[in-house]
Amino acid sequence: MSKRKRIVSMICSIIVWGSGQFFVCKQRLKGLLLFLLELIFIGVEMFSGYWLEAFSGQIKHFSLRLHGGFFTKGIWGLITLGEKEGGRSGDHSTMLLITGIIGVMVLLVITGIYVFNIYDAYRTGKLLDETGHCPTTKEYFKNTYSKFFAYIILVPIVIYIMFIVVMPIVFAILTAFTNYNTNHLPPGNLISWVGFSNFKKLFQIPIWSSTFFSVLRWTVVWAVLATFSTYFFGMFQAILLNSKYTKCKTLYRGIMILPWAIPQLITLLVFRNFLNGQFGPVSKFLMDIGLADHRIAFLSDPFIAKVTILVVNLWLGFPMFMIMIQGILSNIDKSLYEAAEIDGGGGYKIFRHITLPLVLRATAPLIVMNLAGNFNGFGIIYFLTNGGPVNTNYQFAGDTDILISWIYKLTLDQKLYDMAAVMNIMIFVLIAVVSIWNFRRTQAFKEV
């Protein structure tokens, strides 16, 4: 069997995109489209380095200057992060980093198209060698459309995710390996690569390591307690609503869902005023009825503030689980309860062996998602206590700060973007490990 056409077609497409399809396989339109893509990429690289100059604020003189193509300058900027300091005429390190990331991502796409061009030329040439016939461009696109319709529809979404989601994530990760902080702010200053020195600082310098582990410990405690307190209290309320002894269920359900229906920001600001230690009405009321002999520091005492946050979160979070679990309970086969009652099972045993396993099986993924969300529960911490009270033993963090609110202070207040990026990586690893481990253990995930 001759292998001439597949080899010739592949070699042609290696040299010029689409030439194997155009000349050897007679797929004219497909070959032209691939060649047009090559021209576009070459054009972007060649002409993106030219710019128009104007002198003295007036257009006296124009000149075209070659300053490197988009991809070459992008890779240069990604490696060097700039070489010239100083204002408008200098290099902007963060812009060079972003441009470099985009350039690398586009180059990966170009490489994928180039490899496809070679593979398609070889495959089509092989079909010619074996059968003496290959589909026309129209037939090729028709078959491709019918076979890969779902993937074609997903292409715009993938592009969107690459540049709106993946690119910022990559930028944040790379920032952790630079000295991008208050002492190195572009465009006035250049930033540079520092390797793992930021990670060493986090774990080896006492003030950073003690703050990190203290905040991490509270973050884990907060996420676990915030998740399971709302879950089980919501389950308790759902069981009450589902009981045959409960009257006016619609009214009761409407009242209990109000904390979820009201915007969380409004609720948090109201609670912040109610629980204010100096003039808040809650402390005054407790003093008036004799339950307290002094004003209670709901938001300024380290321990009480943490308890307060958990209680407020319970108020805000349980309605969601209550509604979800009530829907699950209403769909459980009533014959299971009837059979359990006939066998002499009491209320606790029925709940333990029937209700709880069925509800957990259906809601386990929701628990994991809520747990991951609470690791990043910035809103309730920031709007209720702003991370306070201040702890002088912490590095730019308060007693109720969790990792995400600490990151907020490091970036917005201190401009320590490099250390904040390190924290971002830590949060990502922590949430990813916890979520994957829990998802793999849930029955609902295994069934998928």
Side-chain angles (χ1 to χ4, degrees):
M1 181 186 297
S2 175
K3 296 184 179 181
R4 180 176 176 274
K5 291 187 181 298
R6 72 186 76 175
I7 300 299
V8 173
S9 177
M10 182 178 68
I11 293 174
C12 289
S13 290
I14 289 174
I15 299 172
V16 178
W17 293 22
S19 58
Q21 290 88 338
F22 187 91
F23 293 108
V24 180
C25 306
K26 309 303 180 184
Q27 293 179 331
R28 308 292 190 189
L29 181 59
K30 183 166 68 172
L32 285 174
L33 288 174
L34 289 169
F35 180 64
L36 179 62
L37 286 174
E38 182 181 22
L39 289 180
I40 291 172
F41 295 139
I42 293 174
V44 168
E45 173 63 16
M46 289 183 62
F47 297 105
S48 62
Y50 290 95
W51 76 89
L52 203 58
E53 286 188 342
F55 294 90
S56 303
Q58 298 177 352
I59 305 177
K60 296 179 180 178
H61 167 232
F62 295 98
S63 64
L64 290 175
R65 299 175 54 191
L66 185 64
H67 193 260
F70 175 78
F71 301 111
T72 53
K73 186 172 183 180
I75 294 174
W76 169 82
L78 187 62
I79 295 172
T80 65
L81 297 179
E83 296 176 347
K84 182 180 179 182
E85 284 188 352
R88 302 170 103 186
S89 62
D91 295 320
H92 198 299
S93 295
T94 54
M95 294 305 299
L96 288 174
L97 180 59
I98 292 171
T99 304
I101 294 170
I102 295 174
V104 170
M105 292 172 66
V106 175
L107 278 176
L108 290 175
V109 174
I110 295 172
T111 303
I113 297 175
Y114 180 59
V115 171
F116 164 78
N117 154 70
I118 298 172
Y119 172 74
D120 181 75
Y122 177 82
R123 184 185 61 181
T124 310
K126 180 181 178 182
L127 192 61
L128 267 178
D129 287 332
E130 293 176 350
T131 65
H133 171 77
C134 67
T136 63
T137 301
K138 183 177 180 180
E139 292 172 340
Y140 169 80
F141 283 122
K142 185 176 180 180
N143 292 333
T144 302
Y145 182 81
S146 60
K147 288 182 180 180
F148 302 102
F149 173 76
Y151 298 101
I152 294 171
I153 294 298
L154 288 174
V155 166
I157 300 174
V158 171
I159 295 174
Y160 175 84
I161 290 175
M162 282 182 62
F163 290 97
I164 305 299
V165 179
V166 175
M167 193 273 289
I169 291 175
V170 174
F171 176 80
I173 292 173
L174 293 180
T175 301
F177 300 92
T178 68
N179 60 349
Y180 186 18
N181 53 45
T182 186
N183 297 320
H184 303 87
L185 292 177
N189 306 103
L190 294 175
I191 63 177
S192 57
W193 297 108
V194 296
F196 289 92
S197 64
N198 293 323
F199 293 87
K200 293 179 180 178
K201 181 191 297 185
L202 180 64
F203 292 106
Q204 293 181 357
I205 297 181
I207 186 65
W208 280 106
S209 60
S210 62
T211 305
F212 171 71
F213 287 112
S214 298
V215 174
L216 175 62
R217 185 165 52 251
W218 161 237
T219 302
V220 174
V221 171
W222 147 257
V224 172
L225 292 181
T227 300
F228 288 100
S229 62
T230 54
Y231 178 79
F232 285 108
F233 190 67
M235 181 186 294
F236 174 70
Q237 297 295 329
I239 291 172
L240 289 181
L241 284 174
N242 201 54
S243 173
K244 60 183 179 182
Y245 301 107
T246 303
K247 307 299 181 183
C248 302
K249 295 182 179 180
T250 303
L251 176 63
Y252 186 71
R253 186 188 303 112
I255 294 173
M256 299 306 293
I257 206 174
L258 282 176
W260 193 32
I262 299 173
Q264 189 182 82
L265 173 60
I266 296 174
T267 304
L268 290 172
L269 293 179
V270 170
F271 270 111
R272 184 171 183 171
N273 288 323
F274 276 178
L275 299 172
N276 186 282
Q278 295 181 346
F279 53 81
V282 176
S283 287
K284 187 176 184 305
F285 175 74
L286 293 175
M287 291 175 63
D288 291 341
I289 64 176
L291 292 180
D293 55 358
H294 62 277
R295 288 191 173 272
I296 301 174
F298 287 108
L299 303 178
S300 56
D301 180 84
F303 178 76
I304 298 177
K306 292 177 180 179
V307 175
T308 301
I309 290 173
L310 290 169
V311 173
V312 173
N313 180 76
L314 178 63
W315 167 260
L316 293 171
F318 85 88
M320 179 189 71
F321 284 117
M322 179 189 72
I323 296 301
M324 291 181 180
I325 294 174
Q326 189 183 6
I328 296 169
L329 292 175
S330 63
N331 289 317
I332 296 177
D333 191 354
K334 305 300 180 185
S335 62
L336 293 174
Y337 294 112
E338 294 172 359
E341 290 176 357
I342 292 172
D343 289 340
Y348 173 73
K349 288 186 176 181
I350 292 175
F351 169 77
R352 179 182 175 185
H353 296 288
I354 297 178
T355 305
L356 185 60
L358 291 175
V359 171
L360 283 175
R361 180 175 180 179
T363 58
L366 298 175
I367 297 174
V368 177
M369 292 173 62
N370 195 260
L371 180 65
N374 281 323
F375 273 105
N376 289 319
F378 171 80
I380 189 169
I381 302 294
Y382 180 77
F383 291 112
L384 198 59
T385 66
N386 198 20
V390 176
N391 191 323
T392 56
N393 296 319
Y394 288 177
Q395 183 80 333
F396 311 120
D399 280 298
T400 59
D401 268 320
I402 58 176
L403 288 174
I404 190 66
S405 63
W406 188 26
I407 289 172
Y408 179 84
K409 291 180 178 180
L410 290 175
T411 54
L412 271 295
D413 298 339
Q414 308 301 326
K415 294 182 173 54
L416 297 175
Y417 304 106
D418 48 358
M419 295 305 298
V422 173
M423 303 301 169
N424 274 323
I425 295 175
M426 295 296 151
I427 290 179
F428 171 77
V429 172
L430 179 64
I431 295 177
V433 170
V434 171
S435 299
I436 292 172
W437 183 77
N438 280 287
F439 270 128
R440 292 181 66 86
R441 288 171 58 86
T442 60
Q443 190 65 31
F445 182 82
K446 292 177 182 178
E447 290 177 356
V448 175

